[in-house]
Amino acid sequence: MRTKTIRCPSTGTRRTRQAVVDSRSLPIETSVKTINKDVVVIGNGPSAITLSYLLSGHWPYYKGMDGLGHPPDFLHARLESKPNCSLVLQDLKELSEGLEGRSSNPVALLYDTLNHPDADTGQDLPSLLAWKNHPEHAIDHVVLGRGPPGGSWQAMEGDVLTISRGTWMELANLSFREWEETACERQIGIRQKRASVKHVAQYYHDYVNIKGLRPYFRDSAEVTSVRRLDQVKSVSAESCAPRLWQVTGHVRTAEGLENFQYVTPNVVLAIGGTDRPNSMNVAGENLPFVIKSLQAMEQLISSQQLNKQSEPVLIVGAGLSAADAIIAAHFHGIPIIHVFRRKATDPSLIFGQLPSNMYPEYHKVYQMMKDNGMTYTGYTPMEQCQIVRIQSDGKVCLQGPDYSTKIKVSFVVVLIGSRPSLKFLENNGRDLTVDVTKPISCRNNPLDVDLFTLESTKQPGIYAMGPLVSDNFVRFAQGGALAITRDIHTKLSRLKAKEEISNSVIPSVTSESVCYLDCPA
């Protein structure tokens, strides 16, 4: 096994460790240099950034119960039974048992309960976690992202406010409010309990630099293939060598495309869920005046291709992105026809679930939808309606519950959600989902993972986090980083112990006698 020297980005010191894999034993025929990593993370959004922070050796510790009785007594008792022991070294299944909340992933609930006590009741209380740096436990990894750190946040419309409170957007051990006060001007007011997308994107970008994670990140990287590598025949069945994965792709540089190739026992999928907009599956959907992003509509407005003299813009959808499009178009005096499949009074619409004092702009849209166009000039809602066909002459055929009509529009803006793309995996990743007969869907058919490790139940060595496992909020996605870090740390500790045993001259030592999670007694 090869020995290499790496620099710990947190301390700047050099340390020597053994690479988990040796590329000389792999059947790879390529001129691209193979780089060995303990972990390859695909995606560089907030969940991936948090994972990198933990993998680099920064571990969370329980500080104790606060003066308001947080966390629940049963969780406090479990944590106090192992004082001064990081959560990375504890039994996450035992700790999370009995917790309830807005995530279906128990470790996400555990982390959120400790990091944002009573958040679901609207509280904004200090975290119950402290952080310590253990450079000796840093795990060699790389984070591959198609753009700068922050993932899809870097491509969103900057002036839009987040749905979640600004403090819920923060990552481990860096207060969003403290960063905001020093990095940018902030308006004061009820709405500013939320944060602008622009500030959140900048916070994630700055976080990587502030926390010394930059050496782990590789921007402008497109992954094109992830495939399993079979061990060479000379490796015995009893070998402790892990299953290996080859991750290939390219980085876009000023000189062109630079290919890369990593070999690793652990691949983490953290790509989010916004790669591909959902389709209406109607004729004419691919015509050039049909667009599927708020950003594209904003560009049309900025270039005056879409203005108050235009034919009406047809906006499709009843979610927050559609509402943002309505707000933008209405602000610029652009006539709007709004098509959505449900009734405006449907209680499942998200607008009715948002407090009006914190989300006044969305409640304004909700009122417009229910008003049936009686009060708000330039806005026409068409509930329980859907597009049947889009014609090349700009006319759109619509079907309602008891009518059909045809209207002339300038543009069609389709904002009906999106789905992830795992095209770099075999069968587009469908074999990793809960129902392999259906396409991947963050809401209805996520990746099938172990709830306490987030490792795939279908392919060992593949992990998933964030929207891919139905954790769509930043505050919950971070719990996945804890689950994955614990599992990979345990794997590497066991591998190291087995190697030491195999090289030992003391025959009486067995692998079962080794304690891998070295919490204080």
Side-chain angles (χ1 to χ4, degrees):
M1 185 171 287
R2 197 171 42 168
T3 300
K4 61 180 179 179
T5 302
I6 63 172
R7 179 177 294 276
C8 175
S10 302
T11 63
T13 59
R14 290 185 178 273
R15 61 189 179 88
T16 301
R17 65 181 301 279
Q18 286 188 320
V20 171
V21 296
D22 187 344
S23 62
R24 292 173 297 182
S25 65
L26 300 173
I28 304 172
E29 296 180 2
T30 177
S31 59
V32 179
K33 179 182 178 182
T34 296
I35 302 174
N36 300 310
K37 293 291 180 181
D38 292 334
V39 185
V40 172
V41 183
I42 303 175
N44 64 353
S47 57
I49 296 172
T50 303
L51 177 60
S52 179
Y53 186 63
L54 270 74
L55 291 176
S56 64
H58 297 87
W59 287 3
Y61 289 77
Y62 176 55
K63 293 194 297 186
M65 182 175 286
D66 65 13
L68 300 175
H70 304 106
D73 289 337
F74 67 86
L75 178 56
H76 171 72
R78 293 168 188 169
L79 290 164
E80 283 294 295
S81 68
K82 294 182 179 178
N84 303 317
C85 182
S86 172
L87 298 182
V88 175
L89 301 177
Q90 297 199 44
D91 186 337
L92 300 181
K93 183 176 182 179
E94 177 186 357
L95 290 179
S96 58
E97 185 178 356
L99 293 174
E100 297 180 351
R102 294 169 59 190
S103 172
S104 58
N105 292 319
V107 182
L109 290 177
L110 170 65
Y111 185 91
D112 186 65
T113 298
L114 297 174
N115 199 41
H116 295 293
D118 254 358
D120 285 341
T121 64
Q123 300 296 315
D124 190 4
L125 302 174
S127 173
L128 303 176
L129 296 175
W131 294 84
K132 296 181 182 179
N133 184 21
H134 299 281
E136 71 277 10
H137 290 310
I139 296 173
D140 192 20
H141 67 280
V142 64
V143 181
L144 304 173
R146 286 180 292 191
S152 61
W153 287 90
Q154 301 296 347
M156 295 181 188
E157 177 59 35
D159 293 332
V160 173
L161 295 179
T162 60
I163 296 302
S164 300
R165 292 169 178 258
T167 53
W168 294 354
M169 311 309 297
E170 66 189 20
L171 304 183
N173 202 23
L174 180 63
S175 165
F176 180 80
R177 290 304 184 210
E178 292 179 6
W179 168 87
E180 195 175 32
E181 290 172 0
T182 59
C184 51
E185 295 183 3
R186 183 168 73 91
Q187 298 177 351
I188 304 300
I190 291 177
R191 293 180 72 209
Q192 299 313 312
K193 290 181 179 179
R194 296 153 64 192
S196 72
V197 167
K198 175 175 62 179
H199 287 176
V200 173
Q202 186 62 45
Y203 167 82
Y204 292 150
H205 184 275
D206 290 355
Y207 182 96
V208 169
N209 296 324
I210 293 170
K211 294 301 182 181
L213 303 178
R214 172 48 62 183
Y216 295 117
F217 279 70
R218 197 166 185 183
D219 304 342
S220 303
E222 181 78 26
V223 174
T224 56
S225 173
V226 175
R227 68 181 180 92
R228 190 169 70 87
L229 292 176
D230 293 325
Q231 298 292 334
V232 295
K233 295 180 180 179
S234 60
V235 178
S236 68
E238 298 179 354
S239 171
C240 60
R243 173 180 292 186
L244 300 177
W245 297 89
Q246 182 190 63
V247 180
T248 59
H250 55 259
V251 173
R252 188 175 299 278
T253 67
E255 292 74 29
L257 298 181
E258 176 185 322
N259 293 329
F260 62 74
Q261 179 171 272
Y262 293 96
V263 170
T264 179
N266 303 294
V267 175
V268 180
L269 305 176
I271 62 169
T274 60
D275 287 322
R276 301 171 63 187
N278 288 331
S279 174
M280 298 184 295
N281 296 316
V282 299
E285 188 171 0
N286 295 322
L287 288 168
F289 59 89
V290 180
I291 59 177
K292 295 189 175 182
S293 76
L294 177 62
Q295 186 178 31
M297 193 190 85
E298 290 279 6
Q299 291 172 351
L300 291 172
I301 295 173
S302 298
S303 65
Q304 287 295 301
Q305 296 179 67
L306 183 59
N307 55 59
K308 61 178 63 178
Q309 279 77 45
S310 300
E311 295 283 358
V313 59
L314 177 61
I315 298 175
V316 184
L320 298 178
S321 294
D324 289 332
I326 292 168
I327 292 168
H330 192 65
F331 177 80
H332 289 91
I334 300 166
I336 303 164
I337 296 174
H338 183 200
V339 169
F340 48 99
R341 291 187 300 175
R342 299 175 185 174
K343 295 189 67 173
T345 55
D346 190 324
S348 65
L349 290 177
I350 191 171
F351 307 109
Q353 304 170 31
L354 302 175
S356 58
N357 63 331
M358 279 192 66
Y359 307 94
E361 74 277 31
Y362 293 129
H363 274 266
K364 172 72 174 297
V365 172
Y366 194 27
Q367 291 173 359
M368 294 167 68
M369 293 169 63
K370 294 187 294 183
D371 187 64
N372 200 29
M374 300 297 293
T375 305
Y376 301 95
T377 59
Y379 171 82
T380 304
M382 301 185 72
E383 65 179 5
Q384 293 184 287
C385 184
Q386 57 187 347
I387 292 177
V388 177
R389 184 174 67 257
I390 304 172
Q391 300 177 177
S392 59
D393 60 359
K395 293 181 179 179
V396 180
C397 301
L398 301 172
Q399 179 66 56
D402 52 10
Y403 68 90
S404 60
T405 186
K406 184 183 293 187
I407 56 175
K408 173 73 173 177
V409 302
S410 56
F411 291 91
V412 179
V413 184
V414 182
L415 299 169
I416 56 174
S418 58
R419 61 191 186 280
S421 173
L422 295 175
K423 60 183 179 181
F424 49 80
L425 288 171
E426 185 177 356
N427 199 21
N428 293 317
R430 181 179 291 197
D431 297 337
L432 303 180
T433 62
V434 173
D435 186 347
V436 298
T437 66
K438 298 179 181 179
I440 182 173
S441 167
C442 295
R443 175 181 296 180
N444 301 316
N445 193 30
L447 299 195
D448 194 4
V449 297
D450 181 281
L451 290 178
F452 301 98
T453 66
L454 296 196
E455 185 175 25
S456 169
T457 60
K458 311 290 179 66
Q459 287 284 7
I462 296 287
Y463 295 81
M465 63 190 310
L468 291 177
V469 293
S470 299
D471 273 332
N472 296 305
F473 292 99
V474 171
R475 53 180 270 225
F476 291 124
Q478 296 179 72
L482 172 62
I484 293 171
T485 299
R486 183 197 183 279
D487 194 57
I488 292 177
H489 171 75
T490 303
K491 281 183 178 180
L492 294 179
S493 297
R494 287 174 175 167
L495 180 61
K496 180 180 178 181
K498 287 180 180 180
E499 290 175 343
E500 291 175 351
I501 292 169
S502 64
N503 295 328
S504 174
V505 296
I506 305 176
S508 60
V509 178
T510 63
S511 59
E512 288 74 14
S513 68
V514 179
C515 178
Y516 302 118
L517 302 184
D518 48 352
C519 283

